[in-house]
Amino acid sequence: MELDIETLLTRYRDGRCTADERVVVERFLLDHAATSGPTLSRSARWSLDRRIRDRVQQVTGVALEVNTFKRLWQIHRLSFAAAASVILISSLVILVFREKTPSAVVFAGSQTIKAGSNQAVLTLANGKRVMLSGKSEADTIRQPGTLLTVTPAGLLTYRSPKTGVTEVLVNSVETAAGGQWQLILQDGTRVWLNSRTKISYPTVFNAKERQVKLDGEAYFEVSRDEKRPFIVTSGTQRLRVLGTHFNISAYPEDKIIKSTLLSGSVMITDTVTRADALLKPGMQAALYSGTVSVKKVEADDAIDWQRGLFVFDSAELGEVMRKLSRWYGCRIIFENTADARIRIGGSVSRSASIGKVLEKVSAVGHVRFEVRENEVKVISNN
């Protein structure tokens, strides 16, 4: 049976190739070493990325970030061999740098900064507040026409065993700095909340539409319903869909609302200026001062937070530090405000310690950090 190259690359990565198949794969890689590189799918590039990173770590002891090869491929259009060479050389430089350069993060006194976790507060329609985290087993809450279930794994679900419910009850779930949560609404729509986020919603949707209000950031997987559009309002933005997957980032301090579409289609409208835009998969709308601009993006990057990663692609340091502040619950101070405009790129796990994250930021941002209790000071590396 003849296998395509992507299947062979996957088998090669997993160590399942026969001797003959290994020869085919390695010849394929060598044949493209001097070219601009073959056109491969996302999954194939992921396979190459994984194998390169494993090899680099084996040789140098340096653990490279996920998607290292993918980003080199996109930016430089390197061949496999060229990318591998660049990564290997870079890794050796990093190794030497680490051996000769002191840490760029100084901890002054005690520090209480920890990575975020599953924690949120549910506010019922009657004003009662319920802590959702810290439960050792599933718990249930009853409201008229609705049954709520809270699990220790960070999930809140709604069920409506009764039909014909006429009383409209509006609940809300809010995460503080360092919190995240997931909920399944009455219609089956799944919502993942990032830190410092609040969502308000009816316990049972009406027959005409499904409307929620969002402040902060959330990823939605909307249950399709041709008769009832799903509407999300954030500030002056109104997003309308029938059923799709999308991410909204609407933090007031960012002064911009970003909506990224992964599947389906959505309509974005500013409720004041009436400016609007229709998004297709792989597009991101940015609403700023009543104007909507649209661009193509790597849509999956917008929800890397939901997958447990920080991913920055030429992001301003000010934006990066705001995201760290929300997740680690710390205060950020720039010694020189001009440093907030430095652009950096890279990725790191959201479960990493604040020290490890800041070391990675320092390596690419040309700044140092001083951590004292719950405060992080950004210092120019002049």
Side-chain angles (χ1 to χ4, degrees), residues 185 187 189 210 212 220 222 228-232 239-241:
L185 301 177
D187 67 330
T189 291
R210 300 166 290 167
V212 304
F220 292 80
V222 177
R228 295 188 301 170
F230 193 93
I231 299 168
V232 184
L239 182 150
R240 183 179 185 275
V241 303

Side-chain angles (χ1 to χ4, degrees), residues 234-301:
S234 304
T236 62
Q237 175 176 285
R238 176 184 170 94
L239 182 150
R240 183 179 185 275
V241 303
L242 296 177
T244 185
H245 298 178
F246 59 91
N247 189 83
I248 298 178
S249 179
Y251 290 104
E253 62 269 27
D254 287 345
K255 300 179 182 179
I256 187 170
I257 301 175
K258 294 182 180 180
S259 303
T260 309
L261 185 63
L262 284 83
S263 67
S265 63
V266 302
M267 174 62 75
I268 304 289
T269 305
D270 184 282
T271 56
V272 176
T273 65
R274 310 310 299 173
D276 60 19
L278 178 66
L279 298 189
K280 297 297 182 182
M283 299 174 72
Q284 181 182 85
L287 175 59
Y288 177 74
S289 295
T291 301
V292 181
S293 59
V294 177
K295 66 178 181 180
K296 290 185 177 181
V297 296
E298 186 71 51
D300 284 344
D301 286 353

Side-chain angles (χ1 to χ4, degrees), residues 16 27 58 82 87 189 269 275 288 299 325 379:
R16 295 186 290 110
R27 182 174 297 166
Q58 178 184 353
I87 294 171
T189 291
T269 305
Y288 177 74
S325 173
I379 304 169

Side-chain angles (χ1 to χ4, degrees), residues 186-187 204-210 223-230 241-242:
Q186 174 260 338
D187 67 330
V204 179
F205 292 113
N206 63 40
K208 294 183 178 180
E209 64 181 19
R210 300 166 290 167
S223 179
R224 191 167 188 83
D225 188 334
E226 298 285 350
K227 297 180 179 179
R228 295 188 301 170
F230 193 93
V241 303
L242 296 177

Side-chain angles (χ1 to χ4, degrees), residues 56-320:
V56 169
Q57 185 167 13
Q58 178 184 353
V59 173
T60 69
V62 175
L64 296 181
E65 297 296 339
V66 174
N67 291 338
T68 298
F69 176 67
K70 184 192 83 170
R71 293 186 183 282
L72 281 173
W73 188 288
Q74 291 174 333
I75 296 171
H76 302 294
R77 299 297 178 189
L78 297 175
S79 67
F80 176 87
S85 300
V86 170
I87 294 171
L88 182 57
I89 293 170
S90 300
S91 301
L92 292 172
V93 171
I94 291 170
L95 187 60
V96 172
F97 177 81
R98 286 180 177 173
E99 290 176 347
K100 295 183 178 181
T101 306
S103 173
V105 182
V106 175
F107 289 92
S110 62
Q111 68 93 10
T112 59
I113 303 173
K114 295 182 179 180
S117 59
N118 291 329
Q119 49 183 312
V121 176
L122 165 68
T123 301
L124 302 176
N126 61 8
K128 181 180 178 181
R129 290 167 60 86
V130 180
M131 293 296 298
L132 298 179
S133 53
K135 297 185 180 297
S136 58
E137 58 183 24
D139 190 14
T140 58
I141 302 171
R142 295 184 181 276
Q143 287 184 281
T146 308
L147 182 66
L148 291 68
T149 303
V150 185
T151 73
L155 174 65
L156 171 65
T157 63
Y158 281 78
R159 285 196 307 113
S160 299
K162 296 181 180 180
T163 58
V165 178
T166 57
E167 185 177 6
V168 178
L169 300 176
V170 177
N171 289 356
S172 67
V173 173
E174 184 171 6
T175 59
Q180 63 180 8
W181 202 261
Q182 181 186 167
L183 62 154
I184 301 177
L185 301 177
Q186 174 260 338
D187 67 330
T189 291
R190 287 180 173 267
V191 187
W192 285 260
L193 304 181
N194 204 347
S195 50
R196 283 188 54 197
T197 296
K198 180 179 180 180
I199 185 171
S200 302
Y201 51 90
T203 57
V204 179
F205 292 113
N206 63 40
K208 294 183 178 180
E209 64 181 19
R210 300 166 290 167
Q211 184 163 337
V212 304
K213 180 182 179 182
L214 176 73
D215 295 301
E217 182 169 21
Y219 169 58
F220 292 80
E221 292 186 351
V222 177
S223 179
R224 191 167 188 83
D225 188 334
E226 298 285 350
K227 297 180 179 179
R228 295 188 301 170
F230 193 93
I231 299 168
V232 184
T233 59
S234 304
T236 62
Q237 175 176 285
R238 176 184 170 94
L239 182 150
R240 183 179 185 275
V241 303
L242 296 177
T244 185
H245 298 178
F246 59 91
N247 189 83
I248 298 178
S249 179
Y251 290 104
E253 62 269 27
D254 287 345
K255 300 179 182 179
I256 187 170
I257 301 175
K258 294 182 180 180
S259 303
T260 309
L261 185 63
L262 284 83
S263 67
S265 63
V266 302
M267 174 62 75
I268 304 289
T269 305
D270 184 282
T271 56
V272 176
T273 65
R274 310 310 299 173
D276 60 19
L278 178 66
L279 298 189
K280 297 297 182 182
M283 299 174 72
Q284 181 182 85
L287 175 59
Y288 177 74
S289 295
T291 301
V292 181
S293 59
V294 177
K295 66 178 181 180
K296 290 185 177 181
V297 296
E298 186 71 51
D300 284 344
D301 286 353
I303 61 167
D304 277 326
W305 66 266
Q306 183 253 350
R307 297 169 177 165
L309 290 172
F310 287 113
V311 175
F312 305 113
D313 187 1
S314 190
E316 288 193 348
L317 186 57
E319 176 189 354
V320 171

